Amino acid sequence: ASFLLSSLYAQVNRNNENWLFGNYAGVSFSGLSPGAFLGSAMSSPEGVAAISDAGLGQLLFYSNGQKVWGNNHQLIDNGDQLLGNANSTQSVLFVPHPMKSRYVYVFTTDAEGGQEGLKYSLIDRDIGNNGGVQYGKKNISLATPVTEKLALLRHCDLQSYWVVAHEWGANKFFSYRINENGIDEQPVETNSGPVYTGAVENAIGYMKPSPKEDLLALAVTGEDRVDLFDFNNITGEPTYLFSIDSIFQPYGLEFSMDQSMLYVGCLDGYIYQYNMQAANVEASKMLVTYTNKLTGALQMAPDGRIYVTKDLDYHLGLIGFPNAPAYNCNYVEQGTYLSGQLSEAGLPPFIPLLIQHKLPHYYVCLGDTVIYNPQFLQDVDSFIFYFGEPSSGVHDTATMLPLKHAYSTVDIHTVELIYYKCGEEYNLKAEVCVQGKPGITLGKDTAICDNTTYYLQGIVDSVYCNNMQTSFLWNTGQTTQAITISPPGKFIVEISNLCGADIDSITIASLPVPAITLGPDIELCHGDTAVIIPFPMPESLIWNDGAKDTIRYITSSGYYEASAINFHNCVAKDDIIITFIDTPNINWQLSDTAICIGQPMELDAGAGFDSYLWQDGSTGETFFITDSGWYFVLVANMCGSDVDSMYVFVEDCSLKLYVPNAFTPDGDGINDVFKAYGIYVEDFEMHIYNRWGEIMFYADDVDNGWDGRFDGKPAAEATYSWKIRYLDATNKYHDIYGFITLLRK
């Protein structure tokens, strides 16, 4: 009766699933067999790198040491002007952050021991849509000058990396540790083996780690030599072993998967195999093939074969069985077709996968036995495991596999593993939630008022594990912890989880409620009195306004609610709305008026009356007027009636001039200019005067108006008089006068 919240799954390394290299070339290893990867935006004569998502295998980034492109083949944000050199053998190396998948390190080298040396930048996958190089974390210098060689190996703990470079002009290695805290910019410095100096060709050539990450091979192209080093992946220190001499211009290197063979590709086109298990490795040299072209990188692929670049070739060569002796290793000259693109000297380096050690979380029942058997503990120096139940005494710890413990207390226990490996201490924690049999209580039997809706909820105990599913089943068919019920009845609930079940019941009786009615809503005329008598008369009564009168005398409109209460303290309610109505009053507040031809006027008698009667016998609330004449309306309701009338004169408004009485020249575009408005206006003159008779403004066109300025300055707020003379469409002159108020906000 236990289950895992999380468990350890086999980790798959898909970092190396897509290669982009050479002259816009690429290969994908995502299918059953490798195929060309098209769309690359990169052309690089030598060093390249590519990285894909470790879990999904989707391309993330690729680079030539100077620019970084994303999976859409566009430059990532801030992804240009890196200080690597595309003519460097290993110009660039991607390293994923050990713990934070959003970050990827980019290491770059200059060519031929150049002064830019070894640098790194930091990519943040969360920048923009396609990732970007963090500002302030770009081209950070680590060492200079260095050779064109870079290697990536895992630390002995398999949870952190070593990035290894070699100083130019010395026999010094730099090993940089990258762990969960990021990169340590202070390297382990080791002097070992020959000094790499002299001709710049001595800085050229690959550095390759062995599959077991305990050897380094370095091609020294100008010296016609390959140097072999033991690599201590605990301390990061290489130790010189021996050199393979008399091999013309070695450049590309690769170990077979079982580390029994070392392959060396030479710039003159020859590829050789050396038996690493032979007593004399140099004497074990065997010719694999002659490509008849400048031969560059040799790189182990995810499919277990070693691929070979040939300068400006439409194919990659391949070694089909790298573990076999040269005459059986099956070299194929045209191994993989690049779909019209060309390889050059470089191929992306291998990115090993770190192993993240974790402990699973458990949910178990009381008394169950939990078993931990992490396989990685078989390779550690020592360990101690704590089960998180100190009350169990000596059984709370274990130092041998498998780790077993039967829990006797219901609680959330924190288990802890402390182990030692590679000279360091590591600590892992997880939780074991121990769940007992669930219990549920509904409470004592009770009685509630018959008109009450009751919220019934079971009180649950012995539940500690939130993620352990607990189910409820009521005799009503409902499956929630709480239900809403109406009495009476017996209600039963069963609670269950993986550790057991419990049941409880409750009987709920019903109590009678009083009856009360106040009657229907009523309307009365002002001056009347409404009498409200509850029926039947209750034992106890209270109104919504706090009154306790059994009979209410109401003289104003309102909402009235009465609550009847019986000896069970059960409550029943009723309400009534009383409305007092006014005697009708039309209240037009209009005298006789005039309207323009073609602009009918709407007379509105007002809403809320029971009936309407107009002079023409119509009965609507409104009436539209189009002709001159007398108009009246009679309105009535239950409390009386009212009548009103007016005379309306219809005139031709086209002969009139409209002049406003105020304006606000404040520049807001609203009422900024004082002017007259009319049509068919001829021979127009307008004068505006201040209080002393001084002319403030003159216009001889009806379309011209005063902007409130005098002598180029804003006139004061005041009331000004105006005089207008104009000729209308009937050839009649009019002289009109008035006042205008100038306001400023």
Side-chain angles (χ1 to χ4, degrees), residues 415-613:
V415 300
E416 182 177 15
L417 170 65
I418 300 174
Y419 67 94
Y420 301 87
K421 182 179 181 181
C422 309
E424 297 183 3
E425 178 183 304
Y426 299 88
N427 183 286
L428 298 176
K429 292 184 179 181
E431 289 184 349
V432 175
C433 187
V434 180
Q435 173 70 61
K437 173 185 174 182
I440 191 164
T441 303
L442 295 178
K444 297 180 179 180
D445 295 345
T446 188
I448 61 175
C449 299
D450 191 46
N451 62 347
T452 302
T453 299
Y454 191 69
Y455 185 70
L456 184 59
Q457 179 174 2
I459 299 174
V460 179
D461 58 23
S462 298
V463 173
Y464 288 87
C465 306
N466 292 332
N467 284 4
M468 181 176 283
Q469 183 176 359
T470 300
S471 61
F472 302 86
L473 179 61
W474 296 82
N475 60 334
T476 61
Q478 292 161 284
T479 57
T480 54
Q481 182 176 348
I483 62 173
T484 301
I485 58 99
S486 296
K490 183 176 182 179
F491 301 92
I492 305 170
V493 64
E494 181 182 16
I495 181 175
S496 61
N497 62 20
L498 290 176
C499 299
D502 191 22
I503 193 168
D504 196 18
S505 65
I506 186 172
T507 298
I508 299 178
S510 64
L511 299 173
V513 297
I516 186 173
T517 181
L518 301 179
D521 296 342
I522 48 180
E523 293 182 343
L524 298 172
C525 297
H526 276 292
D528 293 342
T529 300
V531 181
I532 309 176
I533 304 175
F535 180 82
M537 191 63 67
E539 299 170 15
S540 178
L541 181 69
I542 187 168
W543 296 86
N544 60 322
D545 59 0
K548 296 182 180 180
D549 302 330
T550 54
I551 300 176
R552 298 294 301 271
Y553 298 92
I554 308 300
T555 58
S556 60
S557 299
Y559 170 82
Y560 300 89
E561 180 186 81
S563 299
I565 307 169
N566 64 14
F567 67 94
H568 295 297
N569 210 33
C570 292
V571 179
K573 297 181 179 182
D574 195 23
D575 57 43
I576 186 172
I577 297 175
I578 299 177
T579 306
F580 287 89
I581 300 175
D582 293 325
T583 301
N585 181 12
I586 298 176
N587 195 27
W588 268 341
Q589 296 182 345
L590 291 174
S591 58
D592 298 346
T593 188
I595 62 174
C596 298
I597 296 174
Q599 298 180 10
M601 182 177 75
E602 181 186 57
L603 280 181
D604 190 338
F609 302 117
D610 293 341
S611 64
Y612 302 83
L613 180 63

